[in-house]
Amino acid sequence: MIHSVKKSITDHGDKLDAAEKEKIESAIKSLEESLKSDNKEEIEAKTKELMESSQKLGEKIYAEQQAQQPNSSGTPQEEKTVDAEVVDAEFEEVKQDK
């Protein structure tokens, strides 16, 4: 989780304002410190904190990806068909004793 959030900040950090970016980075540092201890509750709490703080980054990345989609008009895409002939048949499994 820490690695993926760090990578997202590196790739898309310019989309965040300074306060949001600082909040995510402090949550990462806090979680890294918690991982050094064996306190499960603290680790889970810090992980949840990181997920919540990094959610804004995910929303901005998602919004950008949606804006870049060429087919964003809401029209359904054309169905792809297979040119092969489909045959519907019944079959019976025969078990042979060996």
Side-chain angles (χ1 to χ4, degrees):
M1 168 115 191
I2 293 173
H3 175 73
S4 64
V5 173
K6 281 183 177 180
K7 184 171 180 352
S8 295
I9 287 177
T10 303
D11 295 343
H12 306 284
D14 56 329
K15 295 168 186 61
L16 293 173
D17 59 37
E20 290 174 335
K21 190 173 181 179
E22 179 61 36
K23 184 178 178 183
I24 294 171
E25 289 173 346
S26 68
I28 289 172
K29 289 177 187 174
S30 179
L31 179 57
E32 286 175 336
E33 291 297 320
S34 296
L35 289 174
K36 294 176 184 176
S37 71
D38 290 332
N39 188 347
K40 181 183 174 193
E41 290 82 22
E42 181 183 354
I43 293 171
E44 288 176 348
K46 299 297 180 180
T47 302
K48 184 176 179 182
E49 179 184 326
L50 177 59
M51 287 187 335
E52 290 172 357
S53 63
S54 65
Q55 187 173 7
K56 278 285 189 201
L57 177 61
E59 290 172 2
K60 292 190 184 213
I61 293 170
Y62 178 76
E64 180 185 287
Q65 288 174 347
Q66 291 300 315
Q68 291 178 354
Q69 296 260 336
N71 191 9
S72 61
S73 63
T75 58
Q77 293 183 350
E78 185 178 314
E79 284 189 33
K80 295 181 181 179
T81 58
V82 178
D83 292 334
E85 184 177 320
V86 178
V87 178
D88 189 20
E90 292 183 19
F91 69 94
E92 182 178 318
E93 188 174 328
V94 178
K95 296 183 180 182
Q96 296 178 352
D97 293 330
K98 289 187 177 185

